[in-house]
Amino acid sequence: MDYKLVVVGASLGGFDALTTILENLPGNFKLPIVVVQHRTRDTGDTLRANIQLRSHLLLVEPDDKTEITPGKVYLAPPNYHLLVEKGYFALSIDPPVEYSRPSIDVLFESAAIAFGPALIGVVLTGSNRDGAKGVSLVKEYGGYVIVQDPLTAESKTMPEAALALSQVDRVLPLEEIPLALAELSGTL
Amino acid sequence: MDSRQQERENLEIELLLEAIFRYYGFDFRDYAPASLRRRIIKARDQEGISTITGLTERLLHNPNYLDRFVQALSVNVTSMFRDPEFFLTFRKKVVPMLRTYPSIQIWNAGCSTGEEAYSLAILLEEEGLYARTRIYATDINEEVLKKAREGIFPLEDMKDYTANYMKAGGEKSFSEYYSANYGNAIMRPGLGKNITFAQHNLVTDGPFNQFQVICCRNVTIYFNKELKNRVHELLYQSLVNFGILGLGSKESIHFTPKQGRYEQVENTISLYRKIG
């Protein structure tokens, strides 16, 4: 399969998990990566800046209608839902979903619709159920899903909720996820 | 969902939007597809209907349902002093410019239930400018305008709004601006006296005045690129020279044809000055 986009959802414990993934992805990783990390409303730019310190890839918080380009990591801005259209981002301030804005479900659903089988979804550590519905939609639209092995997750609720709802493609310890992504993307 | 089913869903959505435009005049055809789809599916589920075509049928044959549906598609969630740093910059950088005008015209486009219009009123009153200000707060939706005119908001939201207000440079006790009553916060009478809440449709209506300030925050995120650009043309035409355009914190002028016509008032803050 010729994958075109990676979407990642993380909540409690996500900062360390995301950092681990991004510092182990090669600098020539060619797919755009879109991340929803649950966060407080006014964390400003610190989350992005702190992850950037350890990532080979450029991290940006997209504005509305920002074009999706390969080789970048897009971090959902605080207090907005981040949605994917064909080729660019859209934002919304619709009410929180599963108490979350940005919501993983909202991102995954829009990406599943826009990218279908060309999408890879990744669910990481978290202490709520956001992302479970999103994963089931990525599968419904023919995409590929990796869930962090709950045993290796700082908080296992979110990966477990995703696994309870869907048959996914891979369940991997955190450290193995970057390699799997590199392989799927054809970077290796 | 396979590609055939997806094609069918897209067609159903297109027919629904075409139907409410042709029969009722409400034009959602250029709304941003992803968030619009979410709202349509939610409305369909709330009506207990299994298909979008079923929803179209209900809309065409039951005009009473129309208001509720238009509201479901168009209501924007809003809050007081959302993005406090925006209002702080407004206080520091825009207010000094406004002092030079004998009368101040402000347009709050897409005001929804009015939280932002009241926030502006509070800020301008504290800066001694409210008496000579008129705020035109407009929305497509008459239902939300009714609520906005009442000036009654959920009391439970006031805790957040108080924190926002303080971060936005407010120095009073925020509770001076409302009275609490059975779970409601009723905005102080007089606070709304220079606000005109009126219906205006950004998609189909033209300019109606010249303004020193236009706030249109988190409204065009619900439009597709083409409509967003059209609305930016309208906003540009409605601003005086050196007038100020306020957008949502993640809306940038950069992806519109008007980007060379504005300069940013302060780095990282979505306040723009019309310069040409």
Side-chain angles (χ1 to χ4, degrees), chain A residues 69-84:
Chain A
T69 47
K72 281 188 188 161
V73 181
Y74 297 94
L75 184 65
N79 214 7
Y80 281 98
H81 292 302
L82 179 62
L83 295 90
V84 167

Side-chain angles (χ1 to χ4, degrees), chain B residues 3-274:
Chain B
S3 59
R4 251 338 242 165
Q5 289 167 317
Q6 217 176 332
E7 195 184 327
R8 184 177 66 197
E9 186 184 275
N10 291 341
L11 177 62
E12 285 186 285
I13 290 175
E14 212 179 305
L15 293 172
L16 168 78
L17 299 178
E18 197 61 32
I20 49 175
F21 173 63
R22 301 245 302 259
Y23 197 65
Y24 295 111
F26 285 100
D27 192 355
F28 293 101
R29 294 173 302 172
D30 288 324
Y31 272 50
S35 55
L36 183 63
R37 179 191 174 275
R38 275 189 68 83
R39 287 180 169 201
I40 291 172
I41 300 287
K42 198 171 169 195
R44 180 198 70 188
D45 294 347
Q46 270 169 0
E47 291 302 302
I49 302 172
S50 58
T51 67
I52 296 168
T53 304
L55 193 62
T56 309
E57 189 193 357
R58 175 159 306 181
L59 277 161
L60 287 176
H61 292 278
N62 186 358
N64 294 332
Y65 173 53
L66 181 75
D67 280 350
R68 202 152 30 119
F69 183 73
V70 167
Q71 204 162 336
L73 289 205
S74 62
V75 172
N76 296 330
V77 183
T78 171
S79 51
M80 290 195 185
F81 295 98
R82 183 187 159 103
D83 310 319
E85 60 281 13
F86 174 92
F87 286 92
L88 188 63
T89 306
F90 192 96
R91 218 184 258 272
K92 286 183 180 160
K93 296 281 174 76
V94 178
V95 162
M97 177 205 101
L98 293 180
R99 290 193 197 288
T100 66
Y101 290 102
S103 79
I104 302 162
Q105 312 284 317
I106 295 179
W107 182 15
N108 181 198
C111 67
S112 192
T113 40
E115 284 84 341
E116 192 150 281
Y118 285 102
S119 306
L120 288 166
I122 288 169
L123 192 156
L124 291 165
E125 189 185 80
E126 291 183 353
E127 299 296 334
L129 293 174
Y130 191 47
R132 52 177 148 129
T133 300
R134 177 136 303 270
I135 300 172
Y136 295 86
T138 64
D139 201 275
I140 175 184
N141 192 307
E142 191 55 52
E143 285 303 306
V144 295
L145 291 169
K146 257 186 232 163
K147 281 195 173 173
R149 283 185 203 107
E150 286 171 2
I152 300 174
F153 303 104
L155 188 60
E156 60 185 25
D157 292 344
M158 292 298 145
K159 200 175 149 219
D160 275 355
Y161 296 170
T162 302
N164 285 353
Y165 164 78
M166 291 192 303
K167 283 183 212 156
E171 287 175 353
K172 296 197 177 181
S173 161
F174 192 59
S175 58
E176 284 178 31
Y177 292 108
Y178 63 88
S179 53
N181 191 337
Y182 298 103
N184 289 321
I186 304 164
M187 297 317 284
R188 201 191 66 205
L191 205 54
K193 70 177 192 297
N194 293 346
I195 308 175
T196 304
F197 287 104
Q199 200 171 25
H200 179 276
N201 187 337
L202 285 167
V203 182
T204 49
D205 296 341
F208 61 98
N209 205 343
Q210 287 278 298
F211 300 94
Q212 279 88 33
V213 175
I214 299 177
C215 279
C216 184
R217 305 183 65 217
N218 298 313
V219 176
T220 67
I221 56 177
Y222 292 103
F223 300 159
N224 70 14
K225 281 187 194 172
E226 190 205 348
L227 177 56
K228 178 178 175 170
N229 291 345
R230 243 161 57 210
V231 170
H232 269 283
E233 184 64 47
L234 168 65
L235 300 177
Y236 177 81
Q237 284 174 11
S238 305
L239 267 181
V240 301
N241 271 337
F242 305 109
I244 299 291
L245 176 62
L247 302 175
S249 61
K250 291 312 246 176
E251 293 177 289
S252 162
I253 203 79
H254 292 304
F255 304 108
T256 78
K258 291 289 164 208
Q259 60 168 324
R261 303 300 190 90
Y262 291 95
E263 65 181 12
Q264 202 162 6
V265 170
E266 182 161 296
N267 214 2
T268 76
I269 304 293
S270 288
L271 278 164
Y272 297 89
R273 182 182 293 110
K274 177 174 170 177

